[in-house]
Amino acid sequence: MEQTTNKQNYFKWLLGQLKGWPQQNYYLFFFSLGCQIMTLVSNPITPVAIITFIGTTLGVLCVLAINATKAINGILGLISAACFIYAGLSAKNYLSIFEQVAYVLTLDLPVILAVRSWNDDTKNHLRKFGGKQWLIAIVGTLLVYVISGYLIGKFTNDPRPWIDAISFAISLTAGIMCFMRYNNQYFWWLASGIFQLILWGITYVQGDATLAMAVNSSIYVINDILAFTVSPWFNRGRKKMELKGI
């Protein structure tokens, strides 16, 4: 009986994580949902299309939850990552698969394992870069880009290795920043969203993916821009929420 009660309390708490977001986040989610439904029904319904729809819907909820520092992003990210791995494998964008694995390791599992403590630990213990951190992040991103682009081009049939690689390198660095609670991650997330939009746009034009992935990337870009104004990761949003500045 006690175990059942604990599970009920956990799921009740988890659903409560969908509340208290900045109002703009809800607007963006329903806008995204509308776009994805239109994309789904206006194209052939295939297993890839359905799984991509599920992944993009949960993926948008996940990034909005991170924006709002809500711990439900762990579970949402884990499920959406599985969907995106399937989409990436189908499109032969192999580094997008490793990108999702990196998200699971740096974003999803730490939040799931930390359970309820992640919310307060994150929004009350945020950090921002100094000169040393900027240098490490930029050099690290460039190294990952060059190495991953070379290896994926040499050992796989990825038709877009260098575009795949830049998206992967930026996203991996951003995931590590988020895990370490640096708010500078959003500069990388914004760049990541732009390159993912380019990657999946080209992939769609070449006939290897559904339009939903490109639409999803554009929503991510909007979310990243939104984060600078309303999210507790930045002082403007923290002021609105009456939180201490960083």
Side-chain angles (χ1 to χ4, degrees):
M1 178 66 73
E2 183 179 351
Q3 187 176 9
T4 302
T5 301
N6 289 336
K7 287 182 179 179
Q8 290 175 342
N9 289 338
Y10 173 74
F11 285 112
K12 183 178 179 181
W13 170 82
L14 201 60
L15 289 174
Q17 297 301 297
L18 294 172
K19 302 176 182 178
W21 297 8
Q23 195 173 38
Q24 293 89 338
N25 287 27
Y26 296 113
Y27 295 155
L28 183 56
F29 170 72
F30 286 111
F31 171 74
S32 170
L33 181 62
C35 290
Q36 293 295 355
I37 290 174
M38 287 190 293
T39 302
L40 178 66
V41 300
S42 62
N43 291 281
I45 305 297
T46 64
V48 173
I50 293 172
I51 291 174
T52 301
F53 172 76
I54 295 171
T56 54
T57 300
L58 296 181
V60 169
L61 272 177
C62 175
V63 298
L64 290 172
I66 294 174
N67 179 322
T69 64
K70 295 295 184 178
I72 197 172
N73 81 278
I75 290 178
L76 293 172
L78 194 61
I79 301 172
S80 65
C83 296
F84 288 147
I85 286 172
Y86 180 83
L89 185 61
S90 300
K92 299 184 180 67
N93 287 338
Y94 298 116
L95 281 174
S96 70
I97 297 172
F98 289 102
E99 178 182 312
Q100 294 303 319
V101 172
Y103 288 162
V104 169
L105 294 177
T106 59
L107 298 176
D108 305 330
L109 289 181
V111 173
I112 292 172
L113 294 175
V115 195
R116 305 186 184 189
S117 65
W118 188 85
N119 283 344
D120 291 335
D121 284 347
T122 297
K123 70 183 180 183
N124 293 323
H125 297 86
L126 299 182
R127 298 186 287 176
K128 56 185 177 182
F129 279 0
K132 179 181 178 181
Q133 288 79 15
W134 275 108
L135 180 62
I136 292 173
I138 292 171
V139 172
T141 301
L142 292 175
L143 284 175
V144 173
Y145 167 57
V146 172
I147 294 171
S148 63
Y150 171 76
L151 292 176
I152 209 71
K154 184 175 178 63
F155 295 107
T156 76
N157 61 342
D158 188 327
R160 297 160 290 271
W162 291 105
I163 301 175
D164 203 358
I166 190 64
S167 175
F168 168 71
I170 296 171
S171 299
L172 175 63
T173 308
I176 294 172
M177 289 182 199
C178 185
F179 176 71
M180 298 178 71
R181 300 191 177 108
Y182 283 108
N183 69 348
N184 304 75
Q185 64 180 287
Y186 274 98
F187 295 103
W188 265 254
W189 286 133
L190 180 58
S192 169
I194 292 171
F195 280 105
Q196 285 185 35
L197 177 58
I198 295 171
L199 171 65
W200 288 105
I202 293 175
T203 305
Y204 171 71
V205 170
Q206 294 178 345
D208 292 330
T210 69
L211 183 60
M213 291 300 292
V215 173
N216 185 66
S217 298
S218 67
I219 298 298
Y220 282 10
V221 170
I222 297 172
N223 170 70
D224 299 333
I225 295 172
L226 191 64
F228 288 105
T229 61
V230 301
S231 172
W233 289 94
F234 295 94
N235 284 330
R236 184 171 177 179
R238 296 180 72 83
K239 186 176 181 179
K240 292 178 182 178
M241 301 175 69
E242 299 181 351
L243 295 171
K244 182 180 178 181
I246 54 174

